[in-house]
């Protein structure tokens, strides 16, 4: 019995936070805003607690399993949620319905925990829905904004459609093999036509959730319409969780179909990098720009997934950790500026350095890391991703990925130039950054620099994977 | 009269799936699009039940899966309709074409 509590410790912690928020919502008479520091404290405790008493095991007839690696991946997600609660505190303070926002975010986080722990297609489907339905409500959190409702509508329809396609794939897999458990599926999957068809449906749903190119069109609209807290959640946490389970499913369950998915991944990753980058070039709105840049980043993750085994898993986990820091720092700066001044256009960022040197430096570090410039961790992340992708000798793919890094360098540096060098008659006025947001930004910047310099971190991830995968 | 076999049911469910997909891509009314998604989900339910009954009668996973799909579809529809109602309040229309502020 005590095993049960230890194995599900992280899920139970998030559930406890959800109950706490429910009670705050129902019983709380005082102003909701006063609860923000407490909620942030709880999220921090949730993140720290994730490192202790890690136990591996399976529950519910193999529907749920966990181990050190999954606990580490869940910690990355908890860290991201904590950082979002810090960085968007200005926006959150203004909101009347603060507990609801965290309620939805924690429900979705719980779904993602169960998603990466799932050992069964039923559990997988249920947790995917738990992870994605609350996000649609979060996207519509600014009820009176026209673009918010439009973005939320696009998100809920796309995610409903994607899960319908996913289910059709699962039903065919069930029909062809008679089992929905990952472990027994791994033994019976073969490349007969019905199973390949089922796999293609299944794969398509994943590409929707990861916003891989033919199915990326919702991304920019949702990112632009939704409040920045939701946008950063969608782009970092949601994408990270789906990437983790995507690798597990491909390498463990559909390993016999490797010849099928290898070429699918190669084509999709080239398309994703190229189109993500080319569209990012012409964006004017900073949120849309970050949306397309995150599409391009997914392309690089796919390059790593084309490789095999431990290297790919380790590089993707490491990259997602860095991506949490760098993307959240970029979104954090955008959130602070947009909340205080309402400015979201890249042109309006011109001359930001004159008035807001701290924010400018944070934005610059984040963008350097996203672009992959050496002293920052982003460089090592990209390096490991491309190294992992090259083990099968497909050097054309690596060459294309390298060229895409050059394109991405151009548009990231374009923003840095606008911030530091371009002159502007009326730049963004001096913005007062509150303590929480400042702390969040400093954590992100420290993470960006240290994650690259501390070598043992990558070795630690690799070791976790060799033990548990 | 012969009772329908697996092929007939699979034919119906595949037809439902593609009708739903066609509806989702061509209809411009948000409520109708939601109905199209429900059609797809129902085709999946039919698939699961048929496979369970005809192919794997001793493995009840399909039946349970169907029950969960029905419940989740209701939850999804609830959120989707809430969002559509909010969209209607701000746009005065439930037509997809009216929601076109975000582009490119």
């Amino acid at each position: 019995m005590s095993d049960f509590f230890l194995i599900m410790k992280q899920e139970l912690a998030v559930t406890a936070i959800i109950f706490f928020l429910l009670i705050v919502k129902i019983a709380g008479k005082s102003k909701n805003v006063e609860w923000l520091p407490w909620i942030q404290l709880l999220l921090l405790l949730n993140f720290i607690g994730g490192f202790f008493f890690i136990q591996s095991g399976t529950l519910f007839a193999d529907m749920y399993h966990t181990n050190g690696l999954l606990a580490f991946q869940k910690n990355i997600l908890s860290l991201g949620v904590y950082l979002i609660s810090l960085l968007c505190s200005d926006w959150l303070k203004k909101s009347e319905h603060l507990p609801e926002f965290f309620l939805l975010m924690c429900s979705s986080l719980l779904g993602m925990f169960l998603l990466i722990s799932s050992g069964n297609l039923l559990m997988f489907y249920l947790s995917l829905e738990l992870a994605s339905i609350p996000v649609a409500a979060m996207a519509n959190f600014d009820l009176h904004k026209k673009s918010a409702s439009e973005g939320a509508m696009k998100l809920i329809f796309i995610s409903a459609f994607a899960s319908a396609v996913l289910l059709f794939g699962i039903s065919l897999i069930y029909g062809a093999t008679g089992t929905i458990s990952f472990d027994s599926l791994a033994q019976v999957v073969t490349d007969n036509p019905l199973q390949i068809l089922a796999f293609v449906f299944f794969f398509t749903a994943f590409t929707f959730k990861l916003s891989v190119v033919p199915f990326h069109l919702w991304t920019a609209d949702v990112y632009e319409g939704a409040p920045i807290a939701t946008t950063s959640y969608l782009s970092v946490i949601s994408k990270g969780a789906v990437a983790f389970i995507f690798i597990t499913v491909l390498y463990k369950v559909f390993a016999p179909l490797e010849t099928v998915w290898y070429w699918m991944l190669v084509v999709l990753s080239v398309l994703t990098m190229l189109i993500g980058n080319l569209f990012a070039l012409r964006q004017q709105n900073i949120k849309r720009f970050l949306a397309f840049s995150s599409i391009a980043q997914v392309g690089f993750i796919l390059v790593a997934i084309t490789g095999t085994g431990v290297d790919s898993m380790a590089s993707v986990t490491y990259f997602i950790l860095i991506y949490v820091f760098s993307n959240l720092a970029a979104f954090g700066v955008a959130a602070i500026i947009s909340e205080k001044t309402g400015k979201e256009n890249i042109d309006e960022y011109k001359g930001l350095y004159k008035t807001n040197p701290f924010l400018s430096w944070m934005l610059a570090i984040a963008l350097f890391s996203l672009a992959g410039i050496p002293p920052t961790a982003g460089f090592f992340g990209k390096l490991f991703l491309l190294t992992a992708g090259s083990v099968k000798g497909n050097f054309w793919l690596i060459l294309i990925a390298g060229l895409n890094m050059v394109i991405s360098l151009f548009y990231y540096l374009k923003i840095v130039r606008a911030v530091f060098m371009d002159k502007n008659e009326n730049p963004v006025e001096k913005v007062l950054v509150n303590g929480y947001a400042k702390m969040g930004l400093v954590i992100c910047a420290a993470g960006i620099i240290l994650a690259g310099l501390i070598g043992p971190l990558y070795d630690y991830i690799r070791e976790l994977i060799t033990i548990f995968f | 009269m012969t009772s329908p076999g697996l092929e007939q049911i699979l034919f119906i469910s595949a037809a439902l799936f593609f009708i739903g997909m066609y509806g989702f891509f061509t209809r411009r009314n948000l409520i109708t699009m939601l109905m199209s998604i429900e059609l797809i989900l129902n085709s999946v339910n039919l698939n699961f039940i048929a496979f369970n009954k005809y192919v794997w009668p001793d493995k009840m996973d399909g039946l349970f899966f169907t029950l969960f799909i029905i419940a989740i579809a209701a939850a999804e529809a609830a959120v989707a309709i809430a969002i559509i109602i909010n969209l209607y309040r701000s746009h005065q229309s439930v037509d997809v074409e009216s929601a076109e502020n975000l582009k490119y």
Side-chain angles (χ1 to χ4, degrees):
Chain A
M1 192 60 198
S2 66
D3 265 10
F4 171 80
F5 286 108
L6 277 183
I7 291 174
M8 287 200 87
K9 145 186 84 84
Q10 281 164 307
E11 285 78 10
L12 291 172
V14 177
T15 317
I17 296 178
I18 292 174
F19 274 107
F20 169 78
L21 290 166
L22 266 178
I23 293 168
V24 164
K25 184 61 204 167
I26 295 168
K29 291 199 179 69
S30 58
K31 278 191 74 184
N32 290 329
V33 174
E34 290 160 13
W35 288 101
L36 183 61
W38 295 104
I39 297 171
Q40 284 168 342
L41 182 68
L42 280 178
L43 290 173
L44 177 64
L45 288 179
N46 174 39
F47 164 62
I48 294 172
F51 284 103
F52 298 103
F53 305 116
I54 294 166
Q55 186 157 6
S56 19
T58 56
L59 289 174
F60 312 128
D62 280 356
M63 280 182 110
Y64 174 93
H65 68 104
T66 188
N67 54 39
L69 172 66
L70 298 179
F72 183 77
Q73 294 178 337
K74 287 174 194 172
N75 282 336
I76 298 179
L77 304 183
S78 316
L79 172 68
V81 169
Y82 172 62
L83 286 176
I84 291 172
S85 78
L86 287 179
L87 291 170
C88 300
S89 50
D90 277 329
W91 178 78
L92 290 166
K93 271 183 188 164
K94 275 205 330 200
S95 164
E96 295 166 50
H97 306 287
L98 177 97
E100 275 107 319
F101 186 80
F102 279 103
L103 201 57
L104 292 168
M105 193 150 82
C106 288
S107 312
S108 170
L109 183 68
L110 179 64
M112 275 155 199
F113 280 7
L114 294 172
L115 178 68
I116 49 185
S117 278
S118 57
N120 180 309
L121 284 172
L122 178 57
M123 188 70 179
F124 169 78
Y125 166 67
L126 289 177
S127 48
L128 190 68
E129 292 295 299
L130 180 58
S132 57
I133 293 177
V135 179
M138 275 161 72
N140 206 350
F141 216 74
D142 285 335
L143 283 176
H144 304 292
K145 240 175 84 185
K146 255 185 143 178
S147 54
S149 52
E150 185 182 334
M153 179 271 286
K154 284 176 180 164
L155 179 60
I156 187 75
F157 273 95
I158 287 293
S159 73
F161 182 68
S163 48
V165 171
L166 171 84
L167 279 175
F168 199 75
I170 292 179
S171 77
L172 292 183
I173 291 173
Y174 171 70
T177 62
T179 174
I180 53 172
S181 139
F182 283 174
D183 287 339
S184 32
L185 266 176
Q187 287 152 15
V188 289
V189 169
T190 51
D191 54 350
N192 75 30
L194 180 60
Q195 289 186 25
I196 291 180
L197 179 67
F199 173 71
V200 169
F201 278 115
F202 197 72
F203 189 92
T204 311
F206 267 114
T207 53
F208 266 113
K209 300 276 177 195
L210 274 174
S211 62
V212 172
V213 146
F215 313 109
H216 68 293
L217 292 162
W218 60 277
T219 319
D221 292 358
V222 174
Y223 282 21
E224 189 185 348
I228 294 194
T230 312
T231 308
S232 40
Y233 182 84
L234 252 179
S235 78
V236 178
I237 318 288
S238 159
K239 222 160 254 186
V242 177
F244 290 146
I245 186 70
F246 188 43
I247 299 190
T248 319
V249 166
L250 283 188
Y251 286 1
K252 270 193 174 161
V253 182
F254 290 105
L257 294 180
E258 191 177 335
T259 43
V260 180
W261 56 253
Y262 177 70
W263 286 107
M264 283 163 83
L265 279 178
V266 169
V267 172
L268 288 179
S269 70
V270 169
L271 277 177
T272 309
M273 287 185 292
L274 207 61
I275 293 181
N277 276 333
L278 292 182
F279 274 82
L281 282 176
R282 57 189 288 268
Q283 295 309 320
Q284 284 307 308
N285 182 302
I286 186 102
K287 277 153 95 182
R288 281 188 93 80
F289 164 77
L290 286 171
F292 280 106
S293 103
S294 79
I295 292 174
Q297 306 279 356
V298 168
F300 289 105
I301 294 179
L302 291 189
V303 171
I305 301 181
T306 59
T308 47
V310 179
D311 278 328
S312 302
M313 291 272 305
S315 61
V316 171
T317 312
Y318 181 66
F319 184 77
I320 299 269
L321 173 65
I322 295 162
Y323 185 63
V324 165
F325 288 127
S326 16
N327 223 17
L328 282 184
F331 271 118
V333 173
I336 292 164
I337 291 176
S338 139
E339 187 53 43
K340 297 276 177 166
T341 65
K343 290 180 176 170
E344 287 185 356
N345 253 337
I346 292 172
D347 282 343
E348 293 167 335
Y349 276 57
K350 280 181 183 166
L352 185 72
Y353 181 64
K354 281 265 168 52
T355 48
N356 297 294
F358 174 70
L359 288 182
S360 313
W361 276 112
M362 290 301 147
L363 185 63
I365 293 176
L367 292 178
F368 279 146
S369 176
L370 285 173
I373 293 175
T376 57
F379 167 72
F380 299 101
K382 287 266 169 65
L383 178 70
F384 290 138
L385 283 184
L386 298 193
T387 320
S390 68
V391 288
K392 286 191 183 153
N394 193 348
F395 293 111
W396 281 107
L397 180 63
I398 307 301
L399 182 69
I400 294 172
L403 289 178
N404 272 296
M405 278 180 72
V406 177
I407 303 178
S408 71
L409 205 59
F410 170 71
Y411 59 73
Y412 287 123
L413 290 186
K414 203 172 73 176
I415 294 186
V416 176
R417 192 192 66 189
V419 167
F420 279 87
M421 293 172 170
D422 283 356
K423 299 238 177 337
N424 192 351
E425 303 282 290
N426 49 346
V428 179
E429 60 262 37
K430 177 111 184 77
V431 172
L432 197 67
V433 186
N434 77 30
Y436 295 120
K438 206 172 251 174
M439 189 167 105
L441 284 176
V442 169
I443 295 176
C444 286
I448 290 170
I449 291 165
L450 292 182
L453 296 181
I454 302 178
L457 183 63
Y458 183 72
D459 293 334
Y460 173 68
I461 295 173
R462 250 192 87 97
E463 196 186 304
L464 279 179
I465 289 166
T466 34
I467 297 172
F468 293 114
F469 193 62
Chain B
M1 210 175 110
T2 54
S3 60
L6 180 63
E7 288 83 6
Q8 282 81 4
I9 296 180
L10 285 188
F11 178 78
I12 290 178
S13 86
L16 264 183
F17 180 82
F18 285 106
I19 292 170
M21 211 170 212
Y22 178 78
F24 185 73
F25 287 136
T26 54
R27 289 302 175 124
R28 301 289 71 162
N29 185 309
L30 289 172
I31 305 284
T32 329
M33 284 168 75
L34 195 62
M35 283 157 65
S36 310
I37 291 178
E38 299 292 319
L39 272 189
I40 302 181
L41 289 176
N42 282 335
S43 85
V44 174
N45 287 344
L46 267 185
N47 249 352
F48 269 118
I49 295 293
F51 282 132
N52 197 351
K53 182 165 166 30
Y54 291 102
V55 190
W56 310 100
D58 51 336
K59 292 176 178 166
M60 299 299 281
D61 297 327
L63 188 64
F64 294 134
F65 221 118
T66 309
L67 292 175
F68 279 106
I69 293 171
I70 294 170
I72 296 275
E76 207 158 41
V79 174
I81 287 177
I83 288 173
I84 293 173
I85 289 173
N86 191 47
L87 185 94
Y88 179 75
R89 285 198 184 130
S90 56
H91 290 73
Q92 304 303 324
S93 143
V94 286
D95 197 302
V96 182
E97 308 287 346
S98 71
E100 50 169 19
N101 296 340
L102 306 168
K103 265 185 187 169
Y104 312 116

